[in-house]
Amino acid sequence: MAKLSDSDNLHQHISKQYDHELIDIRSRVLSLGGLVEEQIEAAVKALVDGDVELAQRVIEDDGKVNSMEVSIDGECTQILALRQPSARDLRLVVVVIKTIIDLERIGDEAKRIARHAIDLKSNSARESQLTELERLAKHVRGLLRAALDAFARMDVDAALKVVQDDKLVDREYESIMRQQISNMMEDPQSTPVCLDIMWMSRSLERIGDRSCNICEYVIYYAKGKNIRHISIEQVEKDLQVE
Amino acid sequence: MAKLSDSDNLHQHISKQYDHELIDIRSRVLSLGGLVEEQIEAAVKALVDGDVELAQRVIEDDGKVNSMEVSIDGECTQILALRQPSARDLRLVVVVIKTIIDLERIGDEAKRIARHAIDLKSNSARESQLTELERLAKHVRGLLRAALDAFARMDVDAALKVVQDDKLVDREYESIMRQQISNMMEDPQSTPVCLDIMWMSRSLERIGDRSCNICEYVIYYAKGKNIRHISIEQVEKDLQVE
């Protein structure tokens, strides 16, 4: 009897440790997400304030983002190898593996914005260009924040809302792009500055897309359905039927 | 004895089926890779020949790329759930999950190129712009082909070579970009065409980067090491020491 009880204890102990590991990777994704948010915020601040030092810090700190990603990825592979998760737990691990790839790439976009911020310091952007870019950045950061919140709660409705809201960001992005094209044609000397603005807008737009990717993973986790490549209207209809 | 033998047979049978599944996901990755290569080739041909119909076919066929990715991804999750692979087999499944994400996104870039090809039909690019873009595309397709070959043979040396060669592609890309900037400044009317050329070059450069990602996964599979974010020189040194 004593032995059986020991084995029960051992089993409980292992299972507790396993639960802890699953909670840990989830919370580490959120920490990585938080760091990446800070990177975007700092890159845009560096741009608006013309703060080259801050931009350089963003570029250096990308190393932290990278090593966090590698470390979480390693932990996920460990869990797959040692715990052989199934059902929901397995989906969680797969979702974490995919989510951190997107977060790391969002970090790369923040680094790109910081590099353009350094370029732009020597040229000079119009006030209106910076204001528009700052507004786009604010909306995109809102999307990423909402995507991370949806991930934290594995909330399907919140995830769907992000995918919807990304359409507004896309429209804002396209309007900035059109504006730059006419600026360049009117004043060819402004071409390098306008291109910097375009590349940064593009990076922000990509961050919006990647936030949507994270939301797709949340829906996959919660519903066991891969909704990539399905229109949002169709997804909403499908989920209502359930 | 008979029972034991039955169980042995069953075990062998299951193991054979499992082996078959692993071989299957590998070969399906290569099929997806082949399809994506064709998409890039067709998109660039559509551009050079001004063939709007071909460009539209590329856009439509992106659906095939997407459904192949979703299907392979589903098969991988099934294998993880039912076979609980470990060691090399586990690494293979993780590598396949990541590789198909990159291949699908390469497909998206091909679709983007096709869209620009349609835009450019109504504007008109210079002969030299098309020639340069075609050359870049040829080199990038070479990278992707080499990455898929490295994947097929899980060949670390071949994978490292792709990462090295991507630097040449990056230089070619930067030269095209610089050229477009001076074109636009000299002749503002050419701005929309030059921007199309820039966006397409950017898509091609991204395809090169994603081919490198695939090579990093190959090295991870073969060596069990995550080499993302480490310089190629360091990786080569590390692998030599082993």
Side-chain angles (χ1 to χ4, degrees), chain A residues 73 98 104 177 199 228, chain B residues 73 98 104 177 199 228:
Chain A
D73 187 70
K98 292 182 179 179
E104 189 266 325
M177 298 303 264
W199 291 124
R228 279 190 69 77
Chain B
D73 187 71
K98 292 182 179 180
E104 188 266 325
M177 299 303 264
W199 291 123
R228 277 190 70 78

Side-chain angles (χ1 to χ4, degrees), chain B residues 20-36:
Chain B
H20 178 77
E21 286 168 10
L22 294 177
I23 292 169
D24 188 54
I25 51 170
R26 267 176 90 150
S27 77
R28 290 182 73 195
V29 168
L30 295 173
S31 307
L32 176 58
L35 176 56
V36 162

Side-chain angles (χ1 to χ4, degrees), chain B residues 17-147:
Chain B
Q17 214 176 323
Y18 174 33
D19 285 347
H20 178 77
E21 286 168 10
L22 294 177
I23 292 169
D24 188 54
I25 51 170
R26 267 176 90 150
S27 77
R28 290 182 73 195
V29 168
L30 295 173
S31 307
L32 176 58
L35 176 56
V36 162
E37 274 187 88
E38 281 168 27
Q39 288 282 88
I40 303 169
E41 191 174 357
V44 174
K45 190 172 162 32
L47 165 75
V48 175
D49 298 350
D51 186 340
V52 172
E53 237 171 83
L54 181 59
Q56 264 150 355
R57 209 167 66 216
V58 171
I59 294 168
E60 278 161 29
D61 284 354
D62 188 52
K64 289 187 199 164
V65 173
N66 295 345
S67 49
M68 268 176 92
E69 188 238 343
V70 170
S71 157
I72 302 172
D73 187 71
E75 201 180 337
C76 287
T77 319
Q78 281 285 86
I79 293 176
L80 285 176
L82 302 178
R83 306 295 186 189
Q84 309 190 318
S86 59
R88 259 182 176 247
D89 295 345
L90 173 59
R91 289 210 297 276
L92 176 67
V93 179
V94 171
V95 159
V96 168
I97 288 176
K98 292 182 179 180
T99 300
I100 57 176
I101 294 179
D102 280 289
L103 287 175
E104 188 266 325
R105 304 277 161 81
I106 291 177
D108 288 343
E109 299 295 350
K111 189 166 75 173
R112 283 193 190 109
I113 294 171
R115 283 200 188 122
H116 286 290
I118 296 172
D119 277 2
L120 261 187
K121 175 71 180 168
S122 44
N123 298 312
S124 56
R126 294 183 202 174
E127 196 59 36
S128 66
Q129 287 176 314
L130 293 182
T131 311
E132 277 170 34
L133 204 78
E134 210 179 354
R135 196 187 308 136
L136 178 63
K138 194 182 149 207
H139 293 160
V140 166
R141 271 175 42 220
L143 281 188
L144 175 59
R145 169 109 304 270

Side-chain angles (χ1 to χ4, degrees), chain A residues 67-117:
Chain A
S67 48
M68 268 176 92
E69 187 238 342
V70 170
S71 157
I72 302 171
D73 187 70
E75 201 178 338
C76 288
T77 319
Q78 282 284 86
I79 294 175
L80 286 175
L82 302 178
R83 305 296 186 190
Q84 309 189 320
S86 59
R88 258 179 177 247
D89 294 344
L90 174 59
R91 289 210 297 276
L92 176 67
V93 178
V94 171
V95 159
V96 168
I97 288 176
K98 292 182 179 179
T99 301
I100 58 176
I101 294 179
D102 281 289
L103 288 175
E104 189 266 325
R105 303 278 161 80
I106 291 177
D108 287 343
E109 300 295 351
K111 188 166 75 172
R112 284 194 190 108
I113 294 171
R115 283 202 187 120
H116 286 291

Side-chain angles (χ1 to χ4, degrees), chain A residues 63 66 70 111, chain B residues 159-161 163-164 167 212 216 219 225-240:
Chain A
N66 295 344
V70 170
K111 188 166 75 172
Chain B
L160 283 172
K161 189 162 182 314
V163 179
Q164 281 284 14
K167 290 184 185 173
C212 290
E216 287 168 5
I219 295 169
K225 274 189 188 169
N226 190 330
I227 66 148
R228 277 190 70 78
H229 323 304
I230 303 174
S231 77
I232 177 80
E233 293 76 16
Q234 190 59 46
V235 170
E236 283 178 336
K237 228 160 88 186
D238 291 355
L239 294 179
Q240 266 166 10

